[in-house]
């Protein structure tokens, strides 16, 4: 699904057919704005600006309202995310079980520095999040919606290698 | 697992199904329950379940395929349940009726479990939970100290039933309270029973549920709403998640009962986006309840109709606050608004709305099933019933626990929790998350209930209990929480928006070693202003971690600013790491572990740490086998 969307032309030529479908499924009302944006993000891995304007027009609300909602919630991203999203929990339970070294290993492995969160090859996005509800297995990490508990720097590097290998396999 | 579509048209039909399902669940058959909670699943419990199924099939053991399969009545049955609570030792396999309890089970253990325990009724010591000190093994679940000291009201069915099969819930008296209420109890009597039970909201503030319901019921209006608050944003808490995943129908039944009591015909479950499994289980449960005529139009053949929809949150802590949550359901930015008017008067789309927490609603179902008097036998007069806590941090047994209100902190941490990890000293418990406070050694005999906790400047909150050992720096703890609330402040009111920023700056300054005595005074002043002047609960409670650490650990703040030391040895800026050349054998273990490449040296030659690169994470200290790394 996602790959097909990314291969579509960008900018002006982008097809709004899929967006229209999503709006229809969720209902074209302001109260459905958040579910609509969630579905769009599932599809495109972020919220492209021209799609936000399109949504505003269809729902008959101001683009500022749509943008206001899109920037308020942490789940939404206005820039493209990497192919794999790695969420390292920094909630209380995970913080107490010392996840600093874990976060550093991930940053080092993905070669991301400073405020950067997506690796240069657009393969991975690192998000530091507050609690994913697996606190009893701290420190916890979610990679592509799969929870991994009792994580260590070594375990996560292994995980990255497995994902890379799988990707390579799929390319062939 | 899914169940076939069932339809129930009357209380009599429900009772008939209950009898059948009960007989099936309670029959002589052996039942293997594999925990499918988030914790056990992430540790591979799905593979364990599959391996057990394969082992059973290989041996041609007859299995009951469907719960109500008459022919399979005496056969073995297998279920994949919700969270069993003891996540630390997962994957967990429980075998009924003996209640054998196996921990850390791997797929490879499946054949042995079937051959020995199922076919020969022999237990396997290797898979039993063992006491950390004495090594004593426990064969049965309820003998394990972690469980033996709990009292279950809300969690009874979690980890026992298959949350995907409505008939299993019905077999455990599910929807009986609903049928009884719809047919035999007018709405006022339902409110009356809840009021009598003394139930207080489990979402944080501890407001009387009966009172909230009677207020909402009294407001005139054709259209009213029930909202189930499943936002659970408090980091370090996962009670609501486990209830939703382990027994979703109990929450639905509570919502329908609330709707009946207050005269609402529509409900919303607002669940945080980080809980995809909970959302999925809830969706299935709603669909099953609708098909069974327990939800929707003319429930169980009565005039009462109630519909439930799910809304997924989008990652904002403040949306747990009821007015912000309502704004978010309406599709707007989740910002709180001043109260009054309370949601009971004007809530969702301006209509009277009753907002209740997941655990509150699960309690409602039990109270209406077993009666207010039964409920009141648990807890203490002003805080009745039980509370589910998420016990995490530096404690031996982490997991989900349910104890009577008024249980002492000591019993929770040392009896149920098994004490502190690595035989370190207990230092503090942070209760109630970023809005809560800390409890010290002096509070070990404090009963955990709404009023006792409030009297010492903490709160039950949602029920996150994070245990911390002697190596915890309390200033850093305060900084951690302030960082959280500062990020999550919605920015609507000035005191919270700016005040949390100022407090964070001061705390960062102290932790970095640049604080002064004046900073402590400023911090206190800002904290009090934010507490007194913020618009919503987020701002009002944001200073709590600061104020409570200042109250109980002022010495630690002073040590940072006056003596320039961090007594717990945690604050990185007060530390330097170095390698003692004489002890270093040049094995490169530390260099390989260092996440920032700050350690250099030739193989078999003493290594050195580049202080400029070092982030002081301590990985080298843990890695070194020669005790060559030292911290000062
Ligand atoms: C900042 C903030 C966050 C909150 N988060 C939650 C939450 O995650 N879950 C919850 O049930 N209540 C939360 N509450 C409390 C709700 O506002 C509300 O009091 C509660 O849902 C009422 O349900 P109850 O009476 O059953 O406890 C929060 C309150 C504040 C001020
Ligand atoms: S604190 Fe990390 S999962 Fe809850």
């Amino acid at each position: 699904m996602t790959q097909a969307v990314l291969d579509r032309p960008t900018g002006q030529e982008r097809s709004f057919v899929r967006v229209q479908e999503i709006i229809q499924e969720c209902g074209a009302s302001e109260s459905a704005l958040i579910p609509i944006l969630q579905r769009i993000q599932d599809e495109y891995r972020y919220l492209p600006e021209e799609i936000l304007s399109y949504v505003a027009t269809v729902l008959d609300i101001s683009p500022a309202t749509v943008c206001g909602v899109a920037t308020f919630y942490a789940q939404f991203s206005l820039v493209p995310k990497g192919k794999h999203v790695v969420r390292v929990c920094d909630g209380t339970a995970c913080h107490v079980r010392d996840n600093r070294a874990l976060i550093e290993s991930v940053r080092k492995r993905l070669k991301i520095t400073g405020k950067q969160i997506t690796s240069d090859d657009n393969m991975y996005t690192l998000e530091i999040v507050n609690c994913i509800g697996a606190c009893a297995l701290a420190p916890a990490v979610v990679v592509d919606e799969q929870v991994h508990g009792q994580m260590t720097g070594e375990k996560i590097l292994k995980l990255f290698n497995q994902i890379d290998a799988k990707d390579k396999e799929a390319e062939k | 697992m899914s169940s076939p579509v069932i339809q129930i048209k009357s209380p009599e039909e429900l009772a008939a199904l209950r009898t059948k399902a009960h007989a099936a669940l309670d029959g002589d058959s052996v039942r293997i329950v594999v925990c499918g909670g988030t914790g056990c699943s992430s540790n591979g419990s799905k593979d364990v379940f599959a391996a057990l199924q394969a082992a059973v099939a290989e041996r041609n053991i007859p299995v009951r395929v469907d719960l109500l399969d008459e022919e399979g009545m005496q056969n073995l049955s297998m279920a994949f349940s919700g969270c069993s609570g003891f996540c630390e030792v997962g994957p967990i396999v429980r075998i009924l009726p003996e209640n054998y309890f196996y921990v850390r089970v791997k797929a490879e253990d499946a054949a042995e479990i079937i051959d020995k325990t199922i076919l020969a009724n022999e237990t396997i010591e290797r898979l039993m939970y063992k006491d950390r000190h004495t090594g004593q093994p426990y064969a049965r679940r309820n003998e394990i100290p972690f469980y033996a000291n709990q009292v279950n009201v809300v969690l009874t069915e979690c980890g026992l039933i298959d949350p995907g099969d409505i008939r299993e819930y019905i077999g455990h008296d599910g929807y009986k309270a609903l049928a009884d209420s719809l047919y035999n109890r007018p709405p006022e009597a339902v409110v009356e029973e809840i009021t009598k039970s003394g139930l207080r909201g489990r979402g944080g503030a501890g407001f009387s549920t009966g009172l909230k319901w009677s207020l909402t019921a009294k407001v005139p209006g054709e259209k009213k709403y029930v909202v189930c608050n499943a936002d659970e944003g408090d980091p370090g808490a996962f009670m609501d998640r486990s209830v939703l995943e382990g027994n979703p129908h109990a929450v639905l039944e509570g919502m329908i009962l609330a709707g009946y009591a207050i005269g609402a015909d529509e409900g919303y479950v607002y669940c945080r986006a980080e809980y995809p499994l909970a959302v999925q289980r809830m969706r299935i449960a709603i669909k099953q309840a609708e098909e069974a005529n327990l939800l929707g139009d003319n429930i169980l053949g009565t005039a009462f109709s109630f519909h439930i929809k799910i809304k997924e949150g989008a990652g904002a802590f403040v949306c747990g606050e009821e007015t912000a949550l309502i704004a978010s359901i309406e599709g707007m930015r989740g910002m709180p608004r001043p109260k009054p008017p309370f949601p009971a008067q004007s809530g969702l789309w301006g209509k009277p709305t009753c907002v209740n927490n997941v655990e509150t609603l699960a309690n409602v179902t039990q109270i209406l099933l077993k009666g207010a008097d039964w409920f009141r036998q648990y807890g203490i007069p002003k805080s009745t019933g039980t509370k589910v806590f998420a016990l995490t941090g530096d404690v031996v047994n982490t997991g989900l626990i349910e104890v009577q209100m008024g249980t002492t902190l000591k019993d929770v941490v040392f009896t149920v929790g098994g004490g502190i990890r690595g035989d370190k000293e207990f230092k503090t418990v942070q209760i109630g998350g970023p809005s809560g406070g800390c409890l010290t050694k002096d509070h070990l005999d404090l009963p955990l209930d709404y009023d006792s906790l409030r009297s010492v400047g903490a709160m039950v909150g949602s029920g996150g209990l994070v245990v911390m050992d002697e190596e915890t720096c309390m200033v850093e703890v305060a900084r951690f929480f302030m960082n959280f609330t500062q990020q999550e402040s919605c920015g609507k009111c000035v005191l919270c928006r700016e005040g949390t920023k100022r407090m964070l700056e001061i705390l960062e300054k102290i932790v970095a070693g640049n604080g002064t005595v004046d900073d402590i005074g400023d911090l206190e002043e800002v904290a009090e202003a934010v507490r007194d002047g913020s618009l919503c609960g987020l701002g009002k409670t944001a200073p709590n971690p600061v104020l409570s650490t200042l109250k109980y650990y002022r010495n630690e703040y002073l040590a940072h600013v006056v003596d320039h030391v961090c007594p717990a040895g945690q604050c990185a800026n007060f530390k330097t790491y170095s390698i003692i050349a004489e002890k270093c054998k040049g094995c490169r273990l530390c260099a390989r572990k260092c996440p920032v490449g700050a350690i250099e040296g030739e193989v078999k030659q003493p290594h050195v740490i580049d202080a400029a690169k070092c982030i002081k994470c301590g990985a080298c200290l843990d890695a070194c086998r020669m005790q060559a790394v030292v911290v000062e």
Side-chain angles (χ1 to χ4, degrees):
Chain A
M1 165 190 86
T2 331
Q3 199 50 48
V5 171
L6 284 180
D7 293 342
R8 277 183 204 162
T10 50
Q12 292 289 310
E13 300 149 66
R14 188 175 329 242
S15 146
F16 288 120
V17 177
R18 183 71 196 110
V19 180
Q20 191 53 43
E21 278 168 16
I22 290 175
I23 295 176
Q24 234 131 46
E25 280 159 29
C26 297
S29 72
E30 188 176 351
S31 66
L33 179 58
I34 295 171
I36 290 171
L37 297 183
Q38 281 167 332
R39 297 272 307 271
I40 292 173
Q41 175 148 315
D42 282 347
E43 191 84 24
Y44 294 84
R45 303 205 303 229
Y46 77 114
L47 298 175
E49 201 180 313
E50 72 271 20
I51 290 185
L52 291 184
S53 328
Y54 179 79
V55 170
T57 315
V58 176
L59 298 188
D60 196 18
I61 47 182
S62 75
T65 308
V66 177
C67 192
V69 169
T71 50
F72 183 82
Y73 295 99
Q75 195 189 19
F76 297 130
S77 169
L78 299 180
V79 292
K81 286 190 190 182
K83 182 165 181 210
H84 305 285
V85 178
V86 181
R87 299 199 176 90
V88 180
C89 177
D90 196 25
T92 324
C94 293
H95 188 78
V96 168
R97 290 252 177 118
D98 221 357
N99 55 5
R100 249 169 70 91
L102 180 65
I103 295 173
E104 285 308 323
S105 332
V106 176
R107 292 171 60 88
K108 185 178 163 195
R109 159 73 208 248
L110 302 182
K111 299 201 179 68
I112 54 180
T113 48
K115 293 220 160 138
Q116 185 185 7
I117 61 163
T118 300
S119 59
D120 290 334
D121 59 3
N122 274 328
M123 287 307 278
Y124 291 95
T125 293
L126 169 66
E127 296 180 351
I128 308 292
V129 297
N130 295 312
C131 194
I132 49 185
C135 326
L137 294 176
V141 174
V142 181
V143 183
D144 297 336
E145 308 303 325
Q146 176 72 41
V147 178
H148 301 270
Q150 291 158 349
M151 257 299 159
T152 60
E154 268 163 48
K155 265 163 94 178
I156 201 155
L157 293 186
K158 241 189 224 156
L159 200 64
F160 281 129
N161 291 341
Q162 280 168 6
I163 296 172
D164 285 350
K166 242 194 213 151
D167 281 348
K168 271 218 184 100
E169 193 69 18
E171 258 170 44
K172 278 186 210 160
Chain B
M1 252 103 302
S2 64
S3 55
V5 174
I6 52 154
Q7 286 182 341
I8 305 167
K9 295 193 189 66
S10 64
E12 292 73 32
E13 284 188 29
L14 179 69
L17 177 60
R18 173 164 60 240
T19 313
K20 260 171 123 182
H22 192 82
L25 287 166
D26 235 26
D28 296 327
S29 58
V30 179
R31 180 173 165 88
I32 307 178
V33 186
V34 178
C35 181
T38 296
C40 285
S41 295
S42 79
N43 270 332
S45 65
K46 263 195 199 108
D47 297 342
V48 173
F49 189 67
L52 284 165
Q53 277 181 319
V56 166
E58 263 169 36
R59 286 160 184 75
N60 288 322
I61 303 171
V63 181
R64 191 179 68 203
V65 185
D66 183 76
L67 181 68
L68 300 183
D69 172 10
E70 300 271 345
E71 278 173 30
M73 228 28 177
Q74 301 294 314
N75 291 349
L76 170 92
S77 75
M78 300 181 76
F80 200 50
S81 74
C83 180
S84 322
F86 207 176
C87 317
E88 178 87 42
V89 297
I92 291 168
V93 174
R94 196 168 159 186
I95 295 158
L96 299 163
E98 289 285 353
N99 218 354
Y100 293 138
F101 193 84
Y102 289 151
V103 301
R104 298 200 176 89
V105 180
K106 297 195 180 63
E108 300 90 89
D109 301 321
E112 193 180 348
I113 293 178
I114 302 298
D115 288 336
K116 291 207 176 133
T117 311
I118 304 299
L119 295 176
N121 199 19
E122 270 173 44
T123 53
I124 306 166
E125 195 175 315
R126 176 171 51 84
L127 297 175
M128 290 180 202
Y129 171 81
K130 295 182 196 69
D131 186 276
R132 194 171 48 111
H133 291 294
T134 62
Q136 185 198 342
Y138 295 91
R140 290 181 174 78
R141 174 185 183 270
N142 296 357
E143 295 163 356
I144 301 173
F146 178 78
Y147 288 112
N149 295 288
Q150 296 193 38
V151 175
N152 290 346
V153 170
V154 172
L155 297 183
T156 316
E157 273 89 34
C158 290
L160 191 63
I161 63 170
D162 173 353
D165 189 341
I166 189 172
R167 299 166 307 167
E168 294 209 0
Y169 177 65
I170 291 173
H172 279 94
D173 292 339
Y175 292 108
K176 184 168 185 284
L178 177 66
D180 288 350
S181 300
L182 290 185
Y183 277 88
N184 306 319
R185 251 194 298 231
E188 306 80 60
V190 172
V191 176
E192 177 62 36
E193 194 70 15
I194 296 298
T195 310
K196 205 173 126 200
S197 75
L199 176 65
R200 295 169 70 171
R202 303 297 196 239
F207 191 78
S208 155
T209 306
L211 185 56
K212 190 186 275 184
W213 285 18
S214 76
L215 291 174
T216 325
K218 279 192 199 118
V219 181
E222 284 290 296
K223 184 80 191 173
K224 293 180 190 176
Y225 294 98
V226 173
V227 172
C228 168
N229 189 341
D231 196 45
E232 194 160 63
D234 170 3
F238 57 104
M239 295 77 51
D240 296 347
R241 164 177 211 156
S242 300
V243 174
L244 291 169
E245 288 177 6
N247 197 4
H249 284 287
V251 182
L252 287 186
E253 190 178 352
M255 281 183 80
I256 306 169
L257 284 162
Y260 174 67
I262 66 162
D265 66 352
E266 205 175 340
Y268 282 90
V269 180
Y270 187 90
C271 187
R272 63 193 297 240
E274 290 85 345
Y275 290 178
L277 186 61
V279 171
Q280 187 200 338
R281 296 243 164 104
M282 211 58 189
R283 283 227 160 89
I284 296 172
I286 290 176
K287 184 162 166 280
Q288 290 177 346
E290 281 171 348
E291 287 164 352
N293 201 17
L294 294 162
L295 181 65
D297 289 329
N298 302 103
I299 294 176
L300 284 174
T302 64
F304 176 65
S305 301
F306 194 76
H307 297 265
I308 295 180
K309 295 195 184 96
I310 297 185
K311 283 272 177 174
E312 282 181 64
F317 172 67
V318 72
C319 284
E321 198 280 334
E322 50 194 11
T323 60
L325 186 153
I326 286 170
S328 181
I329 295 182
E330 291 171 354
M332 298 187 285
R333 292 163 73 101
M335 288 199 180
R337 57 159 179 76
K339 294 187 271 191
F342 291 94
Q345 301 154 308
S346 170
L348 196 53
W349 291 296
K351 306 287 183 227
T353 303
C354 175
V355 183
N356 273 131
N357 164 264
V358 170
E359 194 184 329
T360 313
L361 291 164
N363 271 302
V364 161
T365 308
Q366 290 297 313
I367 293 166
L368 293 172
L369 180 66
K370 298 179 186 154
D373 291 328
W374 166 83
F375 186 76
R376 292 191 72 93
Q377 67 173 310
Y378 301 116
I380 56 167
K382 284 202 166 165
S383 298
T384 50
T386 59
K387 178 74 193 95
V388 182
F389 289 107
L391 190 60
T392 60
D394 299 322
V395 63
V396 175
N397 301 331
T398 57
L400 203 65
I401 64 161
E402 182 173 10
V403 291
Q404 298 198 49
M405 284 277 185
T407 303
T408 63
L409 180 63
K410 189 162 56 197
D411 279 343
V412 169
V413 176
F414 290 92
T415 314
V416 178
I420 307 299
R421 301 183 137 223
D423 290 311
K424 296 206 177 111
E425 283 281 313
F426 168 84
K427 178 160 186 178
T428 186
V429 158
Q430 169 69 28
I431 185 167
S435 332
C438 58
L439 300 173
T440 71
K441 263 191 193 142
D442 296 338
H443 297 127
L444 281 172
D445 290 317
L446 186 85
L448 300 181
D449 62 74
Y450 293 106
D451 306 303
S452 307
L453 281 166
R454 193 158 294 167
S455 73
V456 297
M459 61 190 246
V460 176
S462 54
L465 262 180
V466 188
V467 180
M468 303 182 197
D469 67 21
E470 54 191 334
E471 290 175 2
T472 312
C473 168
M474 298 313 289
V475 188
E476 163 56 26
V477 168
R479 186 211 60 82
F480 173 77
F481 283 115
M482 195 50 67
N483 186 41
F484 176 84
T485 23
Q486 192 270 324
Q487 278 172 22
E488 296 295 336
S489 167
C490 75
K492 184 165 175 173
C493 72
V494 182
L495 270 165
C496 174
R497 183 182 65 228
E498 295 303 320
T500 51
K501 222 178 261 167
R502 291 290 93 79
M503 284 189 279
L504 179 62
E505 275 168 15
I506 298 175
L507 289 164
E508 281 174 343
K509 196 173 151 198
I510 298 176
V511 170
N514 305 322
T516 63
V517 179
D518 287 347
D519 284 330
I520 299 181
D522 291 349
L523 184 64
E524 220 157 10
E525 200 178 322
V526 181
E528 280 162 9
V530 173
R531 179 189 63 195
D532 299 338
S534 292
L535 174 68
C536 86
L538 188 140
K540 287 193 177 104
T541 57
N544 283 357
V546 169
L547 291 169
S548 92
T549 48
L550 270 172
K551 183 166 167 194
Y552 298 116
Y553 297 98
R554 205 179 188 90
N555 289 344
E556 285 192 27
Y557 279 84
L558 287 170
H560 282 77
V561 298
V562 180
D563 310 328
H564 295 281
V565 288
C566 170
Q570 274 290 296
C571 293
N573 271 18
F574 293 90
K575 282 196 261 188
T576 45
Y577 284 83
S578 56
I579 295 173
I580 304 172
E582 294 78 51
K583 284 193 180 171
C584 178
K585 294 265 187 292
C587 70
R588 293 202 54 77
L589 212 55
C590 59
R592 264 184 276 137
K593 284 274 162 73
C594 178
V596 290
I599 304 179
E600 278 160 22
E602 296 292 313
V603 184
K604 300 210 172 140
Q605 295 296 317
H607 282 46
V608 277
I609 300 177
D610 181 346
K613 281 192 194 161
C614 176
I615 56 157
K616 304 172 186 185
C617 68
C620 50
L621 185 69
D622 294 337
C624 183
R625 300 208 186 113
M626 312 306 303
Q627 272 95 42
V629 180
V630 286
V631 216
E632 278 158 68

